[in-house]
Every structure is written in structure tokens, then in C-alpha cells.
Amino acid sequence: MRRLQDLAVSADPDGDTWTEAAARVDALIELLAPSDAPEGVGPANRVPSLPGAGSLLMAPYVITSMEPDGVALTVRFSRFHVGGNSAVHGGVLPLLFDSIFGMVIHAAGRPISRTAFLHVDYRNVTPIEETLTARGWIRETDGRKAFVNAELHRPDGTLCAEANGLMIRLLPGQP
């Protein structure tokens, strides 16, 4: 599916090929539609052993460490994530950081929380087709609040982007 996503945004076939591809996608939809399931049943965000925890929205990441003092992972962006000039689209990075923040909260044993704010500083171009490392941690807590940080690095140590945010623990019964 990830390769299909990449080709859907980067292939340049003739019109007949696009028409045939659309027909094949329709056939896949017809095949999968009877198995449509509610949130929390399909693989998206439920299967940590799958790249990106099973979510096709996320760049494929692999968690390398998940401890109470922080989370580390590797991530590889592809053509699907390009904003231009073989660089990751800037809007993709907040998605990654928000997911890392959620993992950090879980690893620290804190109750389910929601993102109150997320700030990203873009330090250097984030490349596609390169295995990057990210880590996130809780900087401090104050009652229901957890102030979190994360960084994304190239293999040579270059800082691509860093983020900080505020996660708020949900109240009982809060969605």
C-alpha cells in the first residue's frame, strides 16, 4: 500500500494507464468494503509491530525504545511525503511529532491525553528516502499537564526539526 501511495503521487503514465489503475483501485475497494470495521478494530494506530503502527497516514516508523523517560524511533519518509525538491512537506512533521507525544505519554504511564498545542521549529531540510531518528520526552508535568519535547535528526546528527507541546490528561468521561 505504501508503494502504491508513492506511485500515486509520482507516476506519470498515459491516460489509459490511469484509467486502468482507477479500475483496479475500484476492484480493491469492492474487495475490502465488506470488511469495513469501526475505529479501533482495523490496524491503523493499533498494531505497533507494523510500520507507522499500521496507519497509512503516518510515515513508516519503527519504535526502538519506549521507556518512561522517553521514546525513540526511526522513520523514513518517501515520495508520498514530498513537499518539493525531495524534501518532506512541512505539514507532515507536526503529524509525526504529535504521534511521538502520544507515545511519550503512554510510555510514561500517564492517562490518555489530548494535544493542547504543538509548536514545530524547522531547523534544516528533512529529506526523503533517508532513515532518520526521532526521540521525545516529557520536559515537566503540572497536574493534568505534561509539557513534551521531541527532535528529528539525520544520520549524521543534523537536527531537521524540533517540537514542543502541551498534552492535557482527559477528565473522566471526556472524549
Side-chain angles (χ1 to χ4, degrees):
M1 293 300 283
R2 291 184 188 283
R3 181 69 177 130
L4 179 59
Q5 285 177 305
D6 287 340
L7 288 171
V9 299
S10 64
D12 188 22
D14 60 38
D16 290 339
T17 302
W18 275 125
T19 301
E20 183 179 341
R24 290 183 184 193
V25 168
D26 286 342
L28 285 172
I29 291 168
E30 196 172 311
L31 175 69
L32 292 172
S35 301
D36 192 15
E39 180 181 353
V41 176
N45 299 312
R46 271 191 347 99
V47 186
S49 61
L50 290 175
S55 173
L56 290 176
L57 184 60
M58 291 296 304
Y61 63 79
V62 176
I63 298 169
T64 57
S65 174
M66 193 163 196
E67 305 294 332
D69 63 343
V71 172
L73 55 87
T74 60
V75 62
R76 188 175 182 92
F77 298 98
S78 67
R79 292 283 301 271
F80 183 69
H81 305 104
V82 166
N85 298 324
S86 296
V88 174
H89 188 288
V92 173
L93 296 183
L95 175 64
L96 174 68
F97 286 131
D98 195 38
S99 293
I100 291 171
F101 290 168
M103 289 180 234
V104 165
I105 294 299
H106 179 73
R110 291 182 62 89
I112 293 175
S113 300
R114 295 274 187 252
T115 306
F117 77 78
L118 186 154
H119 175 86
V120 177
D121 289 311
Y122 301 89
R123 300 300 185 188
N124 288 284
V125 170
T126 301
I128 62 165
E129 306 304 343
E130 194 170 316
T131 301
L132 309 173
T133 57
R135 70 181 190 93
W137 65 95
I138 295 175
R139 185 177 69 252
E140 67 178 279
T141 60
D142 179 14
R144 294 176 50 216
K145 299 177 184 178
F147 297 90
V148 289
N149 287 67
E151 297 176 338
L152 179 65
H153 292 267
R154 294 182 74 166
D156 67 3
T158 300
L159 178 64
C160 297
E162 57 189 337
N164 65 77
L166 172 61
M167 303 294 285
I168 306 284
R169 182 181 66 228
L170 295 181
L171 295 171
Q174 191 174 11

